[in-house]
Amino acid sequence: MPGRHGCLAPPKTGTLAPMQWDIFCRVIDNHGDLGVCWRLATQLAALGERVRLWIDDATALHWMAPTGCEGVSVVDWLEPDAIRQAVAAPPPDVLIEAFGCEPAPELIARFAGPQAPGGPRRAWINLEYLSAEPYVERLHGLPSPVFKGPGTGLTKRFFYPGFTPATGGLLREPGLLERRARFDRAQWLASQQIPWRNGERLVSLFCYEPPALAALLEQLAAASQPTRLLVTSGRAAHAVRAFFSGREQADQGLSGLGALSISYLPYLTQTDFDHLLWACDLNFVRGEDSLVRGLWAGAPLVWQIYPQDDDAHHVKLGAWLDWLGAPPSLRQFHHAWNGFDSSPLPPLETQGPWHDTVRAARERLYAQEDLVTQLRHLVAGKS
């Protein structure tokens, strides 16, 4: 069972000797990369593996996973002593370079050093970003020989998460859907001191600064059904407060307008972020980690994709909507929410086609092997 803050307890027994996994993660400007790598690290540790998470900024772990996780050590890769100690120690069995973050040359050279006869074959994995685009199936699992630098002579393997059986799948810890089915929404809301009236629609908001945010808030305020918007800390809260600035309804804790009530949330652990998604009738998510958790939650969702200067995110979002089988209104909402066009937002749907589409997608995904299982198979040479 997962602990209070989302760390799965290691199994009592195992049939294989544990391996040392080194996962390298560089925080860019949001929490998604770290969120993915922490979930990966804790799921490996739950299987009895030893994991070092090399991170250049672990600040977010203070609230994301405040109690840490048995079997996972966090290493500051900007600390010279940490690199010196790692170079003097035995190299890891598996090196995961998350999202092209380029580990220190000294660590690559140590990893490329002589290997003891009969030991496990070392594996260098390039963990890529999540996408539903067709190239993911073509490139997943391909070797990439290294011809220069400290890793010369080694071979990386590309590992692409994805939504189809021909990809690396998605992170999904054992028993996730069973825990989801046992979740008590009213109890969790009360534990978080979130007021909830009978018949009030619950919507979570985890976003950047979407162009259509004002239109959403105005739509919810004018709706016939009351809505409580649960706003996550950080950029989402700043954006909502900016909308309410200067209005009489704004205050330091809760604010609202018409049929809309707003609760501002503290930073949540990964476990409580899942609980937030499970508690809501519809979820607004952003980036990669929360998209996956939103799919496992099974409620209708709207994804704000991370914007790219060359508009490559337009193609990426379109590919995901195609995979999802999004009905026209959900597709139109995504286009307007992400600023692809200036069309008005369709009404939110918590039942009907939006709900049925996400539930069907979850069923397809659950029938596939999870990411950690596929990753271990790749490392063991079974795929």
Side-chain angles (χ1 to χ4, degrees), residues 186 188-196 202 228 230 263 265 276:
W188 183 79
L189 291 169
S191 72
Q192 299 295 310
Q193 298 183 326
I194 297 171
W196 180 43
L202 293 175
R228 178 162 297 277
L230 307 183
S263 293
L265 306 179
L276 169 66

Side-chain angles (χ1 to χ4, degrees), residues 25-39 55 57-64 99 129 206-208 232-236 267-268 270 273 286-290 306:
C25 175
R26 187 184 299 278
V27 176
I28 306 300
D29 59 354
N30 295 291
H31 311 306
D33 290 356
L34 178 56
V36 170
C37 290
W38 183 254
R39 289 191 194 276
I55 184 77
D57 182 0
T59 304
L61 287 180
H62 296 161
W63 51 263
M64 189 182 293
F99 317 121
Y129 284 104
F206 182 51
C207 63
Y208 305 115
T232 57
S233 287
R235 293 174 67 170
Y267 281 109
L268 299 173
Q270 283 196 328
F273 184 76
R286 77 181 201 203
E288 179 173 328
D289 182 58
S290 65
Y306 189 77

Side-chain angles (χ1 to χ4, degrees), residues 135-335:
Y135 74 84
V136 169
E137 293 187 344
R138 296 196 306 269
L139 299 183
H140 173 62
L142 291 183
S144 176
V146 179
F147 296 111
K148 63 179 181 179
T152 298
L154 297 180
T155 298
K156 294 184 187 181
R157 295 289 294 273
F158 287 106
F159 192 96
Y160 279 86
F163 303 94
T164 68
T167 69
L170 303 178
L171 286 167
R172 182 185 75 235
E173 59 271 27
L176 174 63
L177 295 193
E178 290 78 7
R179 289 192 293 113
R180 169 71 179 93
R182 295 193 301 268
F183 175 67
D184 187 325
R185 170 159 79 164
Q187 183 181 67
W188 183 79
L189 291 169
S191 72
Q192 299 295 310
Q193 298 183 326
I194 297 171
W196 180 43
R197 296 175 295 175
N198 192 22
E200 189 175 46
R201 178 172 55 179
L202 293 175
V203 177
S204 74
L205 183 66
F206 182 51
C207 63
Y208 305 115
E209 296 80 23
L213 178 61
L216 171 68
L217 297 176
E218 290 165 356
Q219 179 191 117
L220 296 177
S224 58
Q225 180 181 9
T227 297
R228 178 162 297 277
L229 189 66
L230 307 183
V231 183
T232 57
S233 287
R235 293 174 67 170
H238 293 318
V240 172
R241 285 192 167 104
F243 171 82
F244 279 99
S245 63
R247 294 175 180 263
E248 293 181 1
Q249 292 86 354
D251 60 40
Q252 295 299 314
L254 305 177
S255 56
L257 181 67
L260 172 64
S261 301
I262 297 179
S263 293
Y264 295 102
L265 306 179
Y267 281 109
L268 299 173
T269 66
Q270 283 196 328
T271 297
D272 273 328
F273 184 76
D274 280 340
H275 292 162
L276 169 66
L277 300 179
W278 298 353
C280 287
D281 302 299
L282 185 144
N283 295 302
F284 285 86
V285 295
R286 77 181 201 203
E288 179 173 328
D289 182 58
S290 65
L291 170 63
V292 173
R293 305 315 287 189
L295 286 168
W296 294 134
L301 60 86
V302 176
W303 182 28
Q304 186 180 12
I305 194 168
Y306 189 77
Q308 295 172 274
D309 293 336
D310 57 0
D311 286 343
H313 60 296
H314 289 219
V315 176
K316 186 172 183 177
L317 180 61
W320 180 75
L321 291 170
D322 290 343
W323 167 82
L324 185 66
S329 61
L330 184 57
R331 187 179 293 266
Q332 180 185 344
F333 199 108
H334 274 86
H335 287 178

Side-chain angles (χ1 to χ4, degrees), residues 358-378:
V358 172
R359 285 299 177 94
R362 185 174 70 172
E363 290 301 311
R364 297 200 306 271
L365 292 170
Y366 195 66
Q368 302 169 23
E369 283 193 319
D370 67 279
L371 186 150
V372 169
T373 297
Q374 294 200 54
L375 181 58
R376 296 178 89 207
H377 285 166
L378 181 66

